[in-house]
């Protein structure tokens, strides 16, 4: 679990030129250069106010929601299982997802210095050694909460840690290729969290329908992650991170993301049809149709609209997850 301590010598001299060629302003170039110096400074620094931003609370919602979807899909009463639901949601979001974010910020600190120089590590508010202390604290706390739910959930949490390291850290560092990296994140944030929610309530093997939906929405999340990569195109180009927008170009990446998300929802709706759950089928279809004009806007101007679509269009996708979870209940 160790990142590079120095910038790659064959890349460092050309960063200024590449930033200028990318149209980065002079003031931002200075901020980036300072951030690149900060990320590998020795010593231990930690500003308490920077801990929460390091854990990126905005990213916690998808796994928390997926865990809740897994719970709902079982058909078990929520009132009598509220404690498991609460602990599971905390485990999925403020602990395991936060852990994956702090780990990612450690390994991605040089890329973040270019894309987001105000992040806690590039800004110098938290040193790389302090970020690891926070990461291990989240892992240990997560294991304790998982144990309180069920011993098997500890094993699932351990798999989550391994997936986070495979995504961000050496030797795999799957995020260097968007096809693999996005798949790992989708499986971890949606599939693993969904199935954990189902298992935590029933403490048995999830139904075939809930396993199918967990996989389907995990694959669809590949599109969400592609849209998330639009904000990092400049740094990814410089650091040779092969995200989907870098590999395909922004317009093709936007088309791909939209198609993947739509196909996932169509597959989920087909399960509802087989279950003859007509009300939820109609709701899921309405949510899908509502996304289509928004996707048209996204594809027309992906560079500017990716963040907008991730905020609003993706919300409809996420709502469809819960609709489908309710639709397969026994």
């Amino acid at each position: 679990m160790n990142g590079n301590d120095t910038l790659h010598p064959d890349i460092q001299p050309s960063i200024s030129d590449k930033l200028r060629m990318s149209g980065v302003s002079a003031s931002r170039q200075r901020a980036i250069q300072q951030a690149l110096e900060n990320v590998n400074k020795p010593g231990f620094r930690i500003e308490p106010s920077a801990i929460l931003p390091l854990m990126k609370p905005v990213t916690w919602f998808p796994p928390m929601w997926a865990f809740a979807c897994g719970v709902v899909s079982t058909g078990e009463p929520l009132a009598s299982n509220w404690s498991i639901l609460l602990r599971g949601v905390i485990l999925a979001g403020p602990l395991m997802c936060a852990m994956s974010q702090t780990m990612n910020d450690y390994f991605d600190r040089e890329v973040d210095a270019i894309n987001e120089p105000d992040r806690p590590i590039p800004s110098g508010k938290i040193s790389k050694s302090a970020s690891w202390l926070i990461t291990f604290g989240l892992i240990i706390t997560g294991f304790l909460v998982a144990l309180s739910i069920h011993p098997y959930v500890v094993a699932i949490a351990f798999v989550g840690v391994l997936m986070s390291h495979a995504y961000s850290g050496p030797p795999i560092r799957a995020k260097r290729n968007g096809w693999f990296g996005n798949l790992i994140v989708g499986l971890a944030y949606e599939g693993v969290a969904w199935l954990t929610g189902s298992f935590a309530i029933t403490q048995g093997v999830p139904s075939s329908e809930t396993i199918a939906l967990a996989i389907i929405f995990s694959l669809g999340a590949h599109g969400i992650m592609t849209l998330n990569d639009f904000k990092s195109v400049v740094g990814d180009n410089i650091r040779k991170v092969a995200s989907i927008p870098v590999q395909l170009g922004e317009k093709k990446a936007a088309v791909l993301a939209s198609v993947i998300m739509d196909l996932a929802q169509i597959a989920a709706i087909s399960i509802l049809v087989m279950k003859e759950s007509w009300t939820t089928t109609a709701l899921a279809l309405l949510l899908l149709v509502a996304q289509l004009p928004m996707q048209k806007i996204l594809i027309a101007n992906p560079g500017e609209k990716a963040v907008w679509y991730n905020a609003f269009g993706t919300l409809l996708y996420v709502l469809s997850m819960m609709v489908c979870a309710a639709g397969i209940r026994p």
Side-chain angles (χ1 to χ4, degrees):
M1 290 185 177
N2 48 4
N4 296 327
D5 290 331
T6 58
L7 300 175
H8 300 291
D10 58 328
I11 295 177
Q12 186 178 7
S14 63
I15 287 180
S16 296
D17 292 337
K18 289 183 177 181
L19 289 173
R20 282 193 294 269
M21 291 172 60
S22 300
V24 178
S25 66
S27 60
R28 186 167 178 84
Q29 287 183 48
R30 289 192 293 271
I32 290 172
Q33 291 295 345
Q34 181 59 58
L36 287 169
E37 294 177 14
N38 289 337
V39 293
N40 289 314
K41 278 184 179 178
F44 186 92
R45 301 178 305 282
I46 184 167
E47 292 186 14
S49 62
I51 295 176
L52 193 60
L54 181 71
M55 297 190 292
K56 291 186 182 178
V58 70
T59 66
W60 299 352
F61 177 75
M64 293 167 68
W65 185 257
F67 183 93
C69 287
V71 171
V72 169
S73 71
T74 65
E76 296 292 330
L78 299 182
S80 58
N81 292 289
W82 68 268
S83 177
I84 292 177
L85 176 60
L86 177 61
R87 281 175 285 162
V89 165
I90 292 173
L91 174 66
L95 293 174
M96 299 311 294
C97 183
M99 173 278 301
S100 71
Q101 295 300 328
T102 60
M103 183 183 294
N104 183 68
D105 268 29
Y106 173 84
F107 288 117
D108 248 16
R109 60 190 185 277
E110 293 178 3
V111 177
D112 284 346
I114 298 171
N115 292 325
E116 301 177 271
D118 57 342
R119 290 290 301 154
I121 299 177
S123 66
K125 295 176 181 178
I126 293 180
S127 63
K128 60 180 184 179
S129 56
S131 73
W132 267 123
L133 179 63
I134 295 169
T135 298
F136 282 119
L138 290 169
I139 291 173
I140 293 170
T141 306
F143 286 170
L144 291 174
V145 173
L147 182 61
S148 75
I149 298 173
H150 193 281
Y152 285 169
V153 178
V154 178
I156 297 173
F158 182 71
V159 171
V161 174
L162 294 181
M163 293 177 75
S164 296
H165 191 273
Y167 174 73
S168 302
I172 298 176
R173 194 155 166 75
K175 73 172 298 173
R176 284 206 168 273
N177 187 302
W179 297 105
F180 304 117
N182 292 357
L183 179 61
I184 287 178
V185 173
L187 290 171
Y189 278 26
E190 307 294 352
V192 172
W194 183 305
L195 294 177
T196 303
S198 179
F199 172 82
I201 296 297
T202 63
Q203 296 186 7
V205 178
S207 68
S208 58
E209 291 90 355
T210 200
I211 292 173
L213 286 183
I215 294 172
I216 286 169
F217 283 114
S218 294
L219 296 176
H222 193 287
I224 298 175
M225 293 306 301
T226 294
L227 294 176
N228 190 57
D229 286 336
F230 275 83
K231 71 179 188 301
S232 307
V233 170
V234 173
D236 289 347
N237 271 310
I238 291 175
R239 289 297 182 190
K240 303 189 185 304
V241 175
S243 66
I244 302 299
V246 168
Q247 293 186 56
L248 301 183
E250 293 185 353
K251 185 172 289 288
K252 289 182 179 179
V255 171
L256 177 69
S258 299
V259 169
I260 288 175
M261 294 169 69
D262 292 348
L263 289 177
Q265 291 171 87
I266 291 171
I269 290 169
S270 69
I271 293 176
L272 298 180
V273 171
M274 288 187 289
K275 290 280 291 184
E276 298 183 354
S277 182
W278 303 120
T279 300
T280 51
T281 296
L283 287 173
L285 277 171
L286 284 173
L287 290 169
L288 174 58
V289 170
Q291 293 168 58
L292 301 181
M294 302 173 74
Q295 290 172 355
K296 184 177 180 181
I297 295 172
L298 166 70
I299 293 168
N301 192 357
E304 292 186 8
K305 294 298 183 179
V307 174
W308 166 80
Y309 189 85
N310 243 346
F312 298 101
T314 300
L315 174 62
L316 301 181
Y317 177 94
V318 168
L319 289 175
S320 183
M321 291 172 57
M322 185 60 77
V323 168
C324 293
I328 65 168
R329 289 179 300 178

